Amino acid sequence: MSSLKARVLVAVVGIPFLLLVLGWAPDWATMVLLALMCAVGAWELMHAVAAEAGKPLLPLTVLAAALVPVCVYGEQSIRYAKLTALPVLPLTGLLGAVLVLALFVVAILRYDRERPVPFAVLTAAVFAGLVFPLMLSCLLRLRMAYGSEGGEIVGRIMVFLPLCVSFGSDTLAYFVGCTLGKHKLSPRVSPKKSVEGAVGGLIGGVLGTLLLTWIGAHIITDAFMGPREILFFGLVGSAVSQIGDLSFSVIKREFGVKDYGHLLPGHGGILDRFDSVTFAAPFVWLLLQLL
């Protein structure tokens, strides 16, 4: 199967699945999906950058990555419960502290052996097991961020904003780069990316935001976002998502990895497909908290 056909097949199957889980299914379904994605992404990253040296830390890292969305779900559920006597505990903070402590305990226990755990592998485990899942779990925060009456439907729409920005940016950047790309953007990091493709990506981010706004305005029968917000989220969100794409490419180039995995035919692994979303999701969530 050609790469383009595989991409189309994944899109045909994947887009309805994401619409079903993120836009229709209960919040816990989004939590389960993100827990699986974070676990797989952590596994992919540790295998790419740590190889044999990271095996002692792999179970802890993957487990912590899967638990991050669970902790976010618990925090958000308690925060927006109408009647509860439970305190809002910093579950993700506690998980992060336990993970770092456990990783260093393993490193201490293995220090006198023939193959101790390098500090670079420890930092990779912290990023894979905590930082990356926290960034991606902002999709769940967006989904559950509106606890007032009638706010649930807003959350079901807003969770798609990082996806629309990132996928719109990626798609248009790909086609513009293939047809018009002449000037290399960063040849040593990503040889196929071009300046023309990056500009196309900015336009694609705006178009993706515009599409979500049009759909959202019909669902909630009101102006979802104005022209300034569409341009801002589209342009800046696209720039952030492209930085995310290049950031994960830097890691691949440093460690000589073509793809992080083979879970998604034509796309690679979870990190290959959702690298831009990983950066765009916290950007969108933080901006919405400020606005």
Side-chain angles (χ1 to χ4, degrees):
M1 183 184 296
S2 68
S3 177
L4 181 58
K5 287 183 179 179
R7 282 174 173 265
V8 172
L9 179 61
V10 170
V12 169
V13 176
I15 291 177
F17 177 73
L18 287 176
L19 288 172
L20 175 66
V21 175
L22 299 181
W24 181 81
D27 293 336
W28 62 262
T30 299
M31 179 266 291
V32 171
L33 174 63
L34 289 175
L36 292 172
M37 291 173 62
C38 289
V40 173
W43 185 89
E44 291 175 350
L45 188 60
M46 289 297 289
H47 272 268
V49 307
E52 290 294 321
K55 282 188 175 181
L57 306 181
L58 190 59
L60 278 173
T61 305
V62 173
L63 177 61
L67 288 177
V68 167
V70 178
C71 291
V72 171
Y73 177 80
E75 290 177 350
Q76 297 292 103
S77 297
I78 294 172
R79 179 173 293 122
Y80 292 117
K82 292 183 178 179
L83 294 173
T84 179
L86 295 175
V88 181
L89 297 174
L91 300 178
T92 52
L94 291 172
L95 175 64
V98 171
L99 173 63
V100 173
L101 181 64
L103 291 174
F104 271 96
V105 167
V106 173
I108 291 169
L109 293 175
R110 295 183 61 88
Y111 190 75
D112 291 331
R113 300 187 183 182
E114 292 183 1
R115 302 184 67 178
V117 179
F119 181 70
V121 174
L122 278 171
T123 56
V126 172
F127 182 84
L130 187 63
V131 178
F132 157 69
L134 281 172
M135 296 171 74
L136 195 60
S137 292
C138 285
L139 290 174
L140 183 58
R141 293 185 184 276
L142 285 167
R143 170 67 191 265
M144 301 179 68
Y146 301 90
S148 60
E149 187 176 353
E152 183 180 0
I153 188 63
V154 179
R156 290 173 185 262
I157 297 171
M158 294 308 299
V159 69
F160 288 103
L161 183 54
L163 298 172
C164 287
V165 171
S166 298
F167 292 166
S169 177
D170 291 347
T171 302
L172 204 59
Y174 175 78
F175 285 108
V176 171
C178 288
T179 55
L180 302 175
K182 294 181 180 180
H183 302 88
K184 298 298 181 181
L185 180 65
S186 183
R188 296 190 63 183
V189 174
S190 188
K192 294 183 179 180
K193 285 184 170 56
S194 64
V195 175
E196 292 82 1
V199 174
L202 295 175
I203 298 173
V206 174
L207 293 177
T209 308
L210 182 62
L211 174 64
L212 181 69
T213 301
W214 181 78
I215 296 173
H218 281 74
I219 293 175
I220 62 176
T221 64
D222 196 2
F224 196 57
M225 283 192 290
R228 287 182 297 181
E229 288 79 8
I230 293 172
L231 282 174
F232 180 76
F233 278 100
L235 292 176
V236 182
S238 172
V240 171
S241 68
Q242 291 188 55
I243 291 172
D245 191 348
L246 290 171
S247 299
F248 278 96
S249 294
V250 165
I251 299 173
K252 289 193 289 186
R253 295 296 171 264
E254 180 176 347
F255 292 93
V257 177
K258 184 179 183 296
D259 291 315
Y260 284 106
H262 306 284
L263 182 64
L264 305 173
H267 295 269
I270 290 295
L271 294 180
D272 295 293
R273 176 64 276 185
F274 290 91
D275 47 7
S276 56
V277 177
T278 300
F279 273 60
F283 160 77
V284 171
W285 179 72
L286 287 170
L287 257 291
L288 287 174
Q289 301 307 301
L290 295 175
L291 297 177

